[in-house]
Amino acid sequence: TEIIDKDVVIIGSGYGGSVAALRLCEKNIPVTLLEMGLDWEKSGKKFSAMSNPGHSAAWLKTKSIAPFFNLFSLEKFTGALDRLDYEHIKIWVGRGVGGGSLVNGGMAVTPKMEYFKEMFPTLDTDKFYSHYFPLANKELKTNVASEEFLEDCDFYKFNRVGEEEAHKAGYKTVRVPNVYDFKYMEQEYKNEVPRSALAGEVIYGNNHGKNSLDKTYLRKATATRKLEILELHQVNHITQNSDKSYSLDISVINTKGEEIQHKIIKTKKLIMAAGTMGSLELLLKSQAKTQFPIDQNIGKEWGNNGNFMTGRNWVKAFSGGTGFQQSTIPVGGIDHWEDEKYPFFVEIAPLPMGMNVATSLYLMVNKLKKFGGVSYDVKSEKLDLDWNKSHTAHMKDNAKYFLRSMNKANGGTRAHMLFHNGFGADVCYHPLGGIVLGKATDQFGRLNGHQNLYVIDGSLIPGTIGVNPFVTITAIAEYCMEEIIKKDFA
Ligand code: FDA
């Protein structure tokens, strides 16, 4: 076992980890970034399209793990998409340098100010909306598609149909910004550049067009020459040493997931950015294994961000459907958040199947009525989730209401083909919370009871933020790192 000393270590290269890396490196502070997944850019390997799952399609699994149509066998490989299975919920996460940004739909949504205030009553809302959110959107390269292009492009028929149907049912729709470069997509459409969003690439990674973190925050951080990225470094657990430094037990793995080297990295300052599930697992497992001291609030106020998938089969199939070809990048949403009885936000999601499916897919984001909880089961050495149907019952009511109103106005039935009974209550893309800001940490992500340990990722958000979460995660990371660098790295 090799033992190595480092000054500052970040675990995980998603939104939190990438913001932390850039802001530290900019101040000339050398940083080591540990990522269990592959550095896809460096590897030169291609991401696979949804229709043809290859190396990038799943993290060390022998079958593909997309939410539906799982018919593909795979060779075990450190792919970019992982799925964590619990009794009542399946949680998808990204793996690789760039974390979730590699596999997500790129929807870059700033939350509603009122709801942000409700979730974070102690934060300076004005400063977030005048500074941290605009900063996050600028660095992430958020942009909006031109209406002209969306009107014209065959690949957005699914969105035009989705919006038309929503309007007919009396709903308000909104344009949703994205980090996919729409100027690039326009060129794709004209066949001037290689296609990605228009070639069915997204959930297993995009080879072009998407401004994932490796193209934004991490590229800038790398340019400072202060950043060392160690890929395929899986942190197993953490020990606190008597001098208050931290020792990380690490397996260096090959692309088959086999340990090829065992390492201990010792560091004075540790930033945990392994994502909601990753940071929770590391802290809770370390407590069980090494008596690592953790705050009693860890594991509390966890939620699925109100994720609920559903869909409609569309009776007008023979008169048009949603189009043979669909862009993988969503651009439209249905905003019903202000409704008192049935508040929700719906992503009009693409279903790029390469055939005219006449099915509409929706990812609903609902409020939470009841938080879930996360603990560690020593026997199975896995996280245990306190999450069941009682947490999603009101989301199902919203989905029923939504589908009924859409079907009444437009015709159609619940999409039984996509999900059992047409309801995907167990599909979660947005796990949040469990290490909540101001509860398990101070107001800036410093973990309670520790001097040099920080948590900077989705786990800081108390279970729900009302929209797709990465803009919020990025803005909160910017806010925390500004203070931490000023006070703790001076
Ligand atoms: P994130 O999960 O991004 O990064 C954590 C990193 O830590 C990962 O790279 C992981 O491999 C690594 N790690 C974990 N444990 C480790 C360990 N023990 N050792 C070493 N490394 C470790 N959001 C949105 O706003 N708009 C959208 O359109 C979508 N769409 C979407 C689609 C799909 C399919 C998914 C799965 C997710 C989305 N999301 C989304 C959600 C979004 O991607 C997610 O909220 C963020 O990536 C979370 O950012 P974090 O910084 O918290 O962690």
Side-chain angles (χ1 to χ4, degrees), residues 11-17 34-37 59 81-82 92-101 103-109 178 203 213 233-236 273-279 282 330 347 363 428-432 456-459 467-471 473:
I11 306 173
S13 61
Y15 293 88
L34 305 176
E35 169 56 54
M36 68 195 271
W59 177 257
L81 183 70
D82 200 359
W92 278 264
V93 295
R95 301 250 177 262
V97 173
S101 79
V103 299
N104 68 31
M107 288 174 76
V109 197
N178 204 288
I203 199 171
L213 290 163
H233 277 54
Q234 179 162 358
V235 180
N236 300 318
T276 297
M277 305 317 290
S279 290
L282 272 175
E347 167 191 334
L363 171 58
C428 176
Y429 287 174
H430 306 161
L432 296 174
I456 308 286
D457 60 24
S459 63
V467 289
N468 316 55
F470 73 59
V471 172
I473 298 171

Side-chain angles (χ1 to χ4, degrees), residues 28-78:
N28 263 330
I29 300 163
V31 171
T32 300
L33 179 58
L34 305 176
E35 169 56 54
M36 68 195 271
L38 197 63
D39 189 334
W40 286 87
E41 200 165 34
K42 204 177 85 186
S43 79
K45 286 201 183 309
K46 289 220 158 233
F47 294 115
S48 28
M50 287 176 78
S51 55
N52 187 18
H55 277 149
S56 69
W59 177 257
L60 302 174
K61 298 198 170 41
T62 51
K63 275 220 173 85
S64 59
I65 52 168
F68 12 77
F69 310 115
N70 273 310
L71 306 166
F72 300 91
S73 293
L74 296 173
E75 186 190 318
K76 229 172 152 193
F77 194 83
T78 48

Side-chain angles (χ1 to χ4, degrees), residues 9-23:
V9 170
I10 300 174
I11 306 173
S13 61
Y15 293 88
S18 298
V19 171
L22 173 60
R23 297 310 172 206

Side-chain angles (χ1 to χ4, degrees), residues 449-460:
H450 289 262
Q451 299 250 292
N452 295 305
L453 182 57
Y454 311 87
V455 175
I456 308 286
D457 60 24
S459 63
L460 294 173

Side-chain angles (χ1 to χ4, degrees), residues 300-360:
K300 291 186 183 158
E301 300 196 16
W302 183 90
N304 72 345
N305 198 28
N307 281 188
F308 196 99
M309 275 231 187
T310 189
R312 290 169 49 238
N313 285 329
W314 207 38
V315 287
K316 282 193 288 187
F318 300 106
S319 63
T322 49
F324 285 89
Q325 295 175 300
Q326 300 190 10
S327 169
T328 56
I329 297 300
V331 291
I334 297 167
D335 186 353
H336 204 243
W337 195 254
E338 309 303 336
D339 192 74
E340 273 193 17
K341 206 160 171 210
Y342 300 105
F344 52 78
F345 176 83
V346 180
E347 167 191 334
I348 300 172
L351 193 62
M353 303 262 309
M355 50 182 165
N356 202 2
V357 284
T359 301
S360 294

